[in-house]
Amino acid sequence: RAKSEGRGTCRFFDPAIGAEIRERRQLEHDLRHAVARAELELVYQPQARVETGAVIGFEALLRWRHPERGTVSPAVFIPIAEESGAILAIGEWALREACREAATWTGSASVAVNVSAVQIHGPHFARLVHEVLFQSGLEPRRLEIEVTETALIRDPARALHTLRSIKALGVTVAMDDFGTGYSSLSNLRTFPFDKIKIDGSFVRSVHSNAQAAAIVRSVLGLGRGLGLPVVAEGVETAEELRFLAQECCDAAQGYLIGRPAPIGQFAQHTHGGGRVPPTPAEAA
Ligand code: C2E
Ligand code: MG
Ligand code: MG
Ligand code: MG
């Protein structure tokens, strides 16, 4: 392979390069072909209204089915894709796929798509969103873009411009992992978010840690004050959900509501009427 990379790029084995770095390079190489080889898929995790339990939307989460390694977590491959630039093709695929899928749903559930710093700072992101909405026929208000505050700080002016452009299309913008960044409050003021997602690390500690409970309460108060709905991430237990209900949290997402899964498992919510098509196991 060294030869095909041309003159002056001959490689030699360097024992000083750790196995970790070699592995990362291998993944980086494999990632470049993941879209073309159809190795990526989206799983969906439901979001429910705390008060009623009604499913109001789904977050699309990437999975990479690596031919040799099995399923690779986005926590592993997204940072590599961001560094190598592969995230542009991967992110575009995820956006197209999520919108195409959501446009087939009979109900009005929204679809949330995670977007990286590289995409937000690229020059064509708003145009891409516009084009994908047009092509899929998905109503703009059913699309939600999730960004973490760390995705915005490289060039805040540019990021702000992009967010305004996609909001002008009628798309919702949610601040992901709220509370884990450097200056969540000032970022909330700078950027035109429509929604706050409290990071799961706070939610999962509400019963063991008084600070976490106070933080979740404050974020909910903040959301009320700013007129922004708040979604709690990472809800795993009935106790956590009860706490969120007491504190008037709008929506919840987490293993208690449903684990991320292929969209077919949620057919009763995406294809309406409460009629649940039997799963193959049930039908058998
Ligand atoms: P995120 O956007 O904050 O997504 C929530 C993560 O929490 C997901 O991990 C989800 O599976 C996990 N989760 C949900 N409920 C629970 C729970 O009750 N308990 C626990 N322990 N975990 C829960 P996942 O799917 O591994 O994704 C990790 C991160 O990778 C995401 O965090 C997001 O930042 C990123 N990611 C995933 N898909 C995409 C994508 O299409 N584009 C980009 N740029 N990033 C993505
Ligand atoms: Mg997210
Ligand atoms: Mg999150
Ligand atoms: Mg996260």
Side-chain angles (χ1 to χ4, degrees), residues 59 114 146 148 175-178 197-200 233 253:
E59 178 174 6
N114 293 280
E146 292 194 6
T148 61
M175 187 182 202
D176 204 354
D177 301 352
F178 184 86
K197 296 191 78 178
I198 311 182
D199 192 66
E233 296 194 82
Q253 181 180 344

Side-chain angles (χ1 to χ4, degrees), residues 129-160:
V129 173
H130 179 83
E131 190 241 309
V132 169
L133 286 170
F134 180 78
Q135 237 187 34
S136 63
L138 183 69
E139 271 179 283
R141 62 193 178 86
R142 290 183 49 211
L143 175 63
E144 230 169 81
I145 294 295
E146 292 194 6
V147 275
T148 61
E149 54 183 310
T150 44
L152 302 170
I153 51 177
R154 187 191 305 161
D155 183 347
R158 179 169 207 147
L160 180 59

Side-chain angles (χ1 to χ4, degrees), residues 52-137:
T52 61
V55 170
I56 51 174
F58 293 89
E59 178 174 6
L61 295 159
L62 269 171
R63 295 293 179 265
W64 179 19
R65 277 180 308 185
H66 190 283
E68 287 119 37
R69 290 163 203 255
T71 303
V72 183
S73 158
V76 172
F77 73 82
I78 295 284
I80 299 175
E82 285 174 336
E83 241 175 75
S84 71
I87 191 66
L88 285 175
I90 291 172
E92 178 174 336
W93 178 85
L95 180 68
R96 285 188 192 283
E97 176 62 18
C99 291
R100 185 199 61 71
E101 171 59 45
T104 70
W105 302 344
T106 54
S108 57
S110 59
V111 69
V113 178
N114 293 280
V115 168
S116 288
V118 184
Q119 293 172 275
I120 288 286
H121 287 89
H124 309 305
F125 185 67
R127 209 187 311 156
L128 174 69
V129 173
H130 179 83
E131 190 241 309
V132 169
L133 286 170
F134 180 78
Q135 237 187 34
S136 63

